[in-house]
Amino acid sequence: MKEKLLPILVVISIVLMAWLSPKYTVGFKGGKIFRQEFVTGRVIKVLNENLMKDPVMEGKFRGNQTLEVKLLDGSMKGKTVSVYNSLSNLHNTYGKPGLKAIFTVRENNGKKIVWLYNEKRDTYIYILSSIFLLIVCILGKIKGIKSILSLIFTGAVIIYIMIPLMFSGVNPIPIAIGLASIITLVSFLLIGGFERKTYSAIIGAIFGITLAGTISYLSGIIMNLSGINMEGGEQLLYIAKNHSLQVQGLLFVAILIGSLGAVMDVAMSIASSVNELHQTNPTMGGKKLFISAMNIGKDIMGTMVNTLILAFAGGALPTMMMIWGYNMEYSQFINIPTIVIEIVNALAGSIGIIAAVPFTGAISILLINREKGRKFENEKGKIFTK
């Protein structure tokens, strides 16, 4: 009954978050920074262009174009306008007939000026997302659907609760731990059900991510790092002027979210392994169970730590290439804040994964022993009753 009711409650909570959050958090946003309007349009034809091939990027151009564009929505819907399009290193969207793109409409001295902002790519995101959802539902069936529901719930908590609360001025650290714990609880109960292994996985995962976040927080204090040193952190300083945003706690929150998935994966793997070992051989003692869990955990740790470090390395790949390309000295690049943050991210998350293995194993065995104790007491009670 509980397992059937939980998905319904999760769906209701997602709907409530999406409905209530914009109403109660609108005061945290402040005024709108971007004054222009972003609309969809289609290039009808190229009126003229002055382009040369990009010397670095194959298939790219530099120069300028004048395009005839029909706007498909917004305040100028249905109108055909002439658009000047400049192609440079940072902005390089080549206009060609039939191209569907996003345009900005900005008013200047009573006259509306239209610029080509970017290609329209969201359609392809929707197609790829649909393929992903279809594959998960076909292969995973009921568990796959629950996994998708868990993913949507996680996204809703981050978007509708965590981010607005961080803009409200509250300390983001306890908020992040609390919400990460809720995400872990709901996700595991949805996928694993109300079982012993699920409870031990929840406790182990919360311990692992809290440890990872704590290490990152202490490292930030010792190394004098904060959210400002993260990618995009400098831009947040401009937003923080008009908000109560606490940038200091962003590093902790980022590592907590980044490590959450990997730690949850490890915790559930260990909890399931211990549970299977116990069911296969109920006479196996706690010590043997723990040793077996640690042997299984060694293999899991090796792959998951590698996965986490490679994920952070992938995000820092342009920076690493820049270091190599500029032939920087070790003492020069190892002290760059962005490099240090990526290293802290990877190591703190990895420590959380490693610590989650023995902790989850120990909790699983503790819950098994408690259940054995209850069974023994019940059986003893029945004997004395007879």
Side-chain angles (χ1 to χ4, degrees):
M1 182 63 183
K2 287 188 289 186
E3 291 188 11
K4 290 180 180 178
L5 188 62
L6 182 61
I8 298 169
L9 292 174
V10 171
V11 171
I12 292 170
S13 67
I14 292 168
V15 172
L16 286 174
M17 281 188 280
W19 178 46
L20 295 174
S21 179
K23 290 184 177 182
Y24 290 98
T25 62
V26 66
F28 302 154
K29 286 187 177 181
K32 191 175 180 181
I33 296 173
F34 299 104
R35 301 298 178 189
Q36 64 264 39
E37 182 185 8
F38 293 86
V39 301
T40 306
R42 181 181 282 108
V43 177
I44 299 171
K45 62 180 178 180
V46 179
L47 299 175
N48 61 68
E49 59 184 15
N50 180 24
L51 300 173
M52 59 175 284
K53 287 185 178 180
D54 193 297
V56 178
M57 294 292 292
E58 189 176 345
K60 298 287 184 181
F61 300 93
R62 291 190 191 180
N64 56 76
Q65 298 176 296
T66 304
L67 311 170
E68 187 178 306
V69 174
K70 184 177 182 180
L71 301 179
L72 305 177
D73 55 31
S75 60
M76 296 179 68
K77 182 180 177 181
K79 291 188 177 181
T80 301
V81 294
S82 177
V83 176
Y84 178 81
N85 180 36
S86 176
L87 287 85
S88 61
N89 283 333
L90 298 176
H91 181 272
N92 202 293
T93 303
Y94 176 69
K96 56 185 176 182
L99 175 71
K100 206 172 184 180
I102 302 298
F103 294 84
T104 60
V105 180
R106 186 183 300 169
E107 194 166 327
N108 188 14
N109 294 327
K111 183 181 178 183
K112 288 188 176 180
I113 301 171
V114 182
W115 299 86
L116 196 161
Y117 175 69
N118 232 321
E119 285 189 42
K120 186 174 172 62
R121 300 182 175 96
D122 55 346
T123 305
Y124 304 106
I125 293 174
Y126 303 142
I127 293 169
L128 189 59
S129 300
S130 301
I131 294 169
F132 163 72
L133 294 174
L134 194 63
I135 290 171
V136 172
C137 290
I138 290 171
L139 298 180
K141 297 180 181 178
I142 297 298
K143 286 235 175 180
I145 294 169
K146 286 183 177 180
S147 299
I148 292 166
L149 188 58
S150 168
L151 181 64
I152 295 169
F153 177 80
T154 301
V157 169
I158 293 171
I159 294 168
Y160 294 120
I161 299 178
M162 184 179 286
I163 293 175
L165 283 177
M166 288 173 69
F167 274 94
S168 70
V170 298
N171 188 346
I173 295 171
I175 293 294
I177 293 173
L179 293 177
S181 300
I182 291 169
I183 289 169
T184 305
L185 180 72
V186 173
S187 298
F188 277 157
L189 289 176
L190 268 175
I191 298 165
F194 292 82
E195 297 180 12
R196 182 183 59 229
K197 67 177 182 181
T198 307
Y199 304 143
S200 53
I202 289 168
I203 297 168
I206 291 172
F207 171 77
I209 58 172
T210 304
L211 180 63
T214 303
I215 290 169
S216 70
Y217 177 72
L218 295 174
S219 299
I221 293 172
I222 295 166
M223 300 181 191
N224 195 24
L225 296 170
S226 68
I228 300 169
N229 304 117
M230 296 169 62
E231 187 177 351
E234 290 181 8
Q235 284 80 0
L236 282 174
L237 281 176
Y238 297 104
I239 301 174
K241 289 178 182 178
N242 303 317
H243 300 78
S244 302
L245 179 64
Q246 292 192 22
V247 185
Q248 290 294 332
L250 285 181
L251 184 61
F252 174 91
V253 177
I255 293 177
L256 202 72
I257 295 171
S259 309
L260 184 58
V263 175
M264 285 171 66
D265 193 0
V266 168
M268 181 55 87
S269 298
I270 295 298
S272 296
S273 301
V274 172
N275 190 63
E276 285 297 317
L277 286 168
H278 172 66
Q279 287 183 346
T280 305
N281 185 7
T283 60
M284 187 182 291
K287 186 177 179 181
K288 284 188 176 180
L289 267 177
F290 186 76
I291 292 169
S292 298
M294 287 302 296
N295 288 333
I296 294 166
K298 287 173 187 176
D299 293 329
I300 297 171
M301 278 189 289
T303 54
M304 289 310 299
V305 167
N306 205 30
T307 300
L308 192 64
I309 288 177
L310 286 175
F312 285 119
L317 185 61
T319 307
M320 290 191 291
M321 292 178 69
M322 182 191 71
I323 289 166
W324 193 89
Y326 282 118
N327 196 20
M328 291 185 184
E329 292 183 13
Y330 176 79
S331 59
Q332 179 186 3
F333 73 78
I334 199 63
N335 292 296
I336 296 173
T338 51
I339 296 292
V340 177
I341 285 174
E342 292 299 334
I343 293 171
V344 170
N345 282 351
L347 294 179
S350 299
I351 291 169
I353 289 172
I354 294 166
V357 172
F359 190 82
T360 307
I363 293 294
S364 300
I365 294 164
L366 181 65
L367 293 180
I368 287 169
N369 289 337
R370 281 187 64 185
E371 192 172 291
K372 280 182 179 178
R374 281 198 297 268
K375 285 182 180 178
F376 176 74
E377 289 295 329
N378 290 338
E379 287 171 5
K380 189 170 70 172
K382 286 177 184 177
I383 292 167
F384 281 111
T385 304
K386 290 177 183 178

